[in-house]
Structure formats: C-alpha cells, structure tokens
C-alpha cells in the first residue's frame, strides 16, 4: 500500500489535490502567467512523448521504454528551478525534466534507439542549458557521486554553478548515494539531491528499501537539510527545489524528497499487475499532477478546453515529428561512434575494445550492430 503526501504533517505543498491553493504561497513564487503555463505545457509534452514512445515500443521500433506517467510534476518543477548555467543529472525516465530544460525531443528519443548520446557542443562554456548534464547512466545511483565530483571541480575552478541530481527510492539504497551525499556535506558542494520517491523500485516497494519514515529525514546525518515535498504538486516541487538551489549557491547542499507514485509499469518490459493492486494505482490516478494543476490554472483564468486542446495537439504533433526524425536518422553514423563521447583521451583498454568492435563489424557487417 502506498503512502500519500497528506499523511505527513510536514510535507510541503501549495496546490491541494482538489485544486485549492494557498494564495500567498503562489504570489511568493513570482511567476508570471507565461511561466505558469510553461510548467503545464512541459508536463503535457512529457505525457505525449511517453505515449508515442510506448507506441513505438509496441511496434517493435524501440527495445524498451521507461514509463513516467504520474511523475511529471516531480520532474518538471525541479528542472524549472535551475538557472541555465546549472547542471542537471536525472534518471533516464525523467522526460519532463529534460523537456523543461529545452532538450529537443528527438534527442531524448534517440537514446532509446541508439543506446548512447551525443552532444552538440564540445566546450562547456558553449553548452546550452539542456546539454549541461552527464550521459544517462544505467547503473543505478552512480550519477550521485559523479555529480558531486563534477560540481566540486567546477566550484574549485571558480564557477558559480549548482547541480541537481535525481535518484530513485531504490537507488537511494546504494552506497554510491551515501558516499556522494557525505562528500557533499563535508566539502560544501553546491548540489541539490532530489530523491524521486515513486514508491517502487521495479517490484520492490519503498518499505523494502528503507526503514526510515522519509528519505528527507536522512539529510541531517550528512550535515544538511532535508525537505519532503508533495511530488504531484508542480508548484511545490518548483518552490522547494528553488529554495534548495539558492542554498546550494551559498555552499549548502539539500536533500529534496518528492513523494509521488509511478502509475505506469517500471518499463515496457514490466508487468506491474503482478506485484501491486489496481486500487492503489487508481487512488493515485485521482491525484494526477496534470489534472490537479489544470484546476489551479482554471482558477487563475489561464486554462479552458480550447487551450488544453491546442497544447495537447501541439505536444502530440511534436512527439510524432520527433519520432519520425529519430527513426529516419537512427541508421546514420557508424557502430564505433559509441566510443566517441566516452573520453577526451581514451585509455588503452578502451582503444582495444574499439578495435575489437571494428573487427566484429568487419566480420559480420554493420547491419548486425543496428536495430
Ligand atoms: C547497480 C544496478 N543494480 C540494478 C539495476 C537494475 N535496475 C534498473 S532500474 C532498477 C530500479 C530502480 O528503482 P528506483 O531507484 O526506485 O528508480 P525508478 O526506476 O523507480 O525511477 C533496478 C534495480 C541497475 N540498473 N543498476
């Protein structure tokens, strides 16, 4: 059985599940109408991309799709709290965060087609906001010490940059995460740790991951603050991350726990009906982050059916066009390209692996290394 934000007295929220909200808290955000709408449009875009991605997987175009339905507010709000010069290392399912940072949809989709990622800019100073990140990592939790190391290095070089690193409730059980948080606390690294508690690590529920009441409560053990936020309330995830980003700029890390729920399966290969009840999923469907935010926008005279229809149509069209583009270019490039973004100066063993791959390509043909 899942836990709900309203079960925690100290869980930060702004817009309640019924759409009612705290006027003063909203005013203090100092967001204009366009910015309020942008948060909505990013969430709708994330959902449309997900629908397209799943459809492509069902058609056999992608091996795999990680699902993010219901998690949009926990992705979009934190990303919106960053300045362009900041860094964001998320898990690969956080489409809303990537979209909010301006990452082209085709780029997100190509990861699932090629299994590796490319960057437009070689120089950090020339990177767009969405490029200021590390490659997506399959080894759960390792992005945490890597982000801490990156931001420590950037701070030592005198750059005023903050890192936002996302990890799941399951990933937070990893030693790497503890090492990264401990290091950040000791060396005042400008990082915000976002624990995306969606309550399932594939089939393992959150109470199989931690005996602590909340992940936020771990933070004082590292010497910094932790905050629990309603992960289905995009304004609350935005506000608490923005506060944490401000603290990070002053050299103080924060752990932000976004309490939410993964309504979709873990991935397109997972059958979630085998380990959880439909009633539980349904109870969270009633707390859908997009529906809730729509009620808020209606109250602010920013939303009507016509607007919703146009946002949805545009999101679907962009997702469709990005998919067409990704499918059209996936065959470009050569198999050994996957080595290109690994190291500026590859160590000998990487060169050997590259040679090995080239020999296999020679033997079996390039087609054997594409899908
Ligand atoms: C080191 C490592 N162990 C196991 C896996 C297999 N694995 C992939 S996703 C996943 C669950 C991750 O759960 P969580 O951290 O809660 O994130 P979520 O997928 O729910 O966003 C596991 C165990 C992995 N990728 N890496």
């Amino acid at each position: 059985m899942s836990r709900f934000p309203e079960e925690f007295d100290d869980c930060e929220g702004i817009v309640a599940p019924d759409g009612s909200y705290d006027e003063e808290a909203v005013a203090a955000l100092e967001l204009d109408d366009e910015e309020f709408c942008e948060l909505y449009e990013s969430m709708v875009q994330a959902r449309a991309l997900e629908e397209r991605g799943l459809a492509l997987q069902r058609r056999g175009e992608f091996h795999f799709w990680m699902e993010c339905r219901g998690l949009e507010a926990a992705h979009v709000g934190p990303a919106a709290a960053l300045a362009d010069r900041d860094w964001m290392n998320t898990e690969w399912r956080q489409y809303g965060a990537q979209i909010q940072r301006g990452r082209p949809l085709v780029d997100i989709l190509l990861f699932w087609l090629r299994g590796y990622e490319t960057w437009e800019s070689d120089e950090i100073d020339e990177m767009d906001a969405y490029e200021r990140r590390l490659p997506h990592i399959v080894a759960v939790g390792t992005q945490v010490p890597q982000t801490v190391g990156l931001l420590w290095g950037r701070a030592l070089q005198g750059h005023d940059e903050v890192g936002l690193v996302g990890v799941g409730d399951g990933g937070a059980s990893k030693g790497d995460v503890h090492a990264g948080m401990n290091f950040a606390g000791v060396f005042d690294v400008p990082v915000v740790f976002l624990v995306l508690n969606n309550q399932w690590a594939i089939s393992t529920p959150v109470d199989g991951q931690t005996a602590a009441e909340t992940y936020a409560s771990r933070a004082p053990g590292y010497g910094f603050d932790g905050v629990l936020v309603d992960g289905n309330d995009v304004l609350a995830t935005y506000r608490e991350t923005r506060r944490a980003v401000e603290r990070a700029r002053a050299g103080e890390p924060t752990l932000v726990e976004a309490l939410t729920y993964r309504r979709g399966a873990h991935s397109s290969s997972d059958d979630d009906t085998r380990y959880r009840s439909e009633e539980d999923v349904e109870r969270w469907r009633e707390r859908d982050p997009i529906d809730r935010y729509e009620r808020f926008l209606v109250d602010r005279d920013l939303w009507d059916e016509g607007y919703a229809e146009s946002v949805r149509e545009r999101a679907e069209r962009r997702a469709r066009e990005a998919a067409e583009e990704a499918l059209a270019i996936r065959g470009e490039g050569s198999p050994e390209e996957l080595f290109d973004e690994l190291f500026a100066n590859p160590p000998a063993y990487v060169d050997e692996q590259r040679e090995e791959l080239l020999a296999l390509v020679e033997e079996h043909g390039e087609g054997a290394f594409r899908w």
Side-chain angles (χ1 to χ4, degrees):
M1 189 66 83
S2 53
R3 308 281 308 262
F4 295 95
E6 43 283 27
E7 289 169 18
F8 296 88
D9 290 341
D10 53 354
C11 187
E12 298 289 340
I14 296 180
V15 180
D18 66 3
S20 60
Y21 59 93
D22 176 345
E23 300 261 3
E24 257 179 56
V26 171
L29 295 174
E30 295 183 338
L31 292 174
D32 60 28
D33 288 352
E34 207 176 307
E35 289 165 322
F36 281 127
C37 290
E38 190 180 81
L39 297 173
Y40 174 68
E41 289 169 25
S42 291
M43 291 198 287
V44 173
Q45 184 65 75
R47 196 162 288 183
L49 189 71
E50 158 119 330
E51 281 162 13
R52 180 62 37 184
L54 273 173
L56 288 170
Q57 194 278 335
R58 303 289 184 241
R59 277 191 355 222
E61 304 280 10
F62 290 179
H63 282 329
F64 201 58
W65 184 261
M66 300 293 279
E67 302 192 24
C68 89
R69 202 151 53 262
L71 307 176
E72 294 86 352
H75 297 176
V76 168
L82 296 173
D84 283 356
R85 66 183 182 285
D86 293 331
W87 296 78
M88 186 183 77
N89 292 325
T90 58
E91 295 173 287
W92 49 7
R93 78 164 84 243
Q94 289 160 26
Y95 311 118
Q98 307 288 325
I99 289 165
Q100 178 62 35
R101 280 292 265 176
R103 190 171 179 201
L105 301 183
V106 62
D107 211 28
I108 302 176
L109 293 175
L110 277 173
F111 175 73
W112 298 101
L113 281 165
R114 297 199 287 215
Y116 67 96
E117 300 174 89
T118 57
W119 268 250
E120 282 288 313
S121 326
D122 290 333
E123 298 296 326
I124 289 178
D125 291 342
E126 289 166 16
M127 285 178 175
D128 283 328
Y130 76 87
E131 293 188 285
R132 290 183 162 245
R133 59 183 195 83
L134 297 172
H136 284 126
I137 296 170
V138 177
V140 164
T142 51
Q143 67 273 28
V144 173
Q146 293 187 358
T147 305
V148 172
L150 171 70
L151 270 300
W152 191 47
R154 296 291 288 169
L156 291 177
Q157 289 168 354
H159 299 285
D160 170 26
E161 295 164 4
V162 167
L164 174 71
V165 58
V167 64
D169 42 283
S173 301
K174 287 282 305 294
D176 307 63
V177 176
H178 166 71
M181 290 187 182
N182 189 57
F183 192 102
V186 172
F187 293 99
D188 300 329
V189 183
V191 173
V192 177
F193 299 99
L194 178 67
V195 176
L196 286 139
N197 181 0
N198 66 32
Q199 310 200 43
W200 289 96
I202 314 185
S203 54
T204 303
V206 72
D207 61 9
Q209 295 290 348
T210 183
E213 179 84 342
T214 66
Y215 285 96
S217 69
R218 288 183 184 177
Y222 299 113
F224 46 79
D225 286 344
V227 53
L228 177 66
V229 57
D230 184 336
N232 281 29
D233 176 355
V234 71
L235 296 186
T237 59
Y238 167 74
R239 179 182 66 184
E240 295 313 316
T241 313
R242 194 174 73 177
R243 287 176 173 167
V245 166
E246 279 162 19
R247 282 196 293 271
R249 282 207 206 288
E252 171 88 10
T254 303
L255 190 165
V256 177
E257 174 183 353
L259 180 59
T260 180
Y261 186 86
R262 165 171 62 71
R263 292 213 320 265
H266 171 76
S267 74
S268 53
S269 312
D270 173 42
D271 177 5
D272 59 313
T273 61
R274 293 178 59 179
Y275 56 80
R276 64 182 184 182
S277 71
E278 175 53 30
E279 292 78 60
D280 211 19
V281 179
E282 187 52 42
R283 288 168 70 208
W284 277 90
R285 193 172 289 127
E286 289 161 10
R287 289 164 173 76
D288 183 79
I290 298 181
D291 293 350
R292 181 192 304 195
Y293 194 53
E294 281 179 355
R295 290 177 207 125
F296 164 81
L297 293 176
V298 166
D299 195 76
R300 312 278 296 187
D301 283 332
L302 292 173
W303 189 98
D304 59 29
E305 290 292 347
Y307 168 65
E309 187 65 20
S310 70
V311 171
R312 189 165 169 77
E313 268 177 18
R314 192 167 60 229
E316 284 172 357
R317 176 173 46 75
R318 284 184 183 150
R320 195 175 55 247
E321 286 171 2
E324 281 162 14
E325 197 184 332
L327 291 171
I329 61 177
R330 70 169 151 178
E332 289 175 7
S334 54
E336 76 271 22
E337 207 176 76
L338 67 94
F339 289 96
D340 291 350
E341 305 281 341
L342 279 180
F343 292 96
N345 301 303
Y349 74 89
V350 172
D351 282 336
E352 280 164 25
Q353 288 174 4
R354 192 167 184 277
E355 290 310 311
E356 214 176 306
L357 176 68
L358 284 174
L360 288 167
V361 171
E362 181 75 25
E363 190 180 337
H364 301 286
E366 282 205 358
F369 295 86
R370 294 192 203 287
W371 59 77

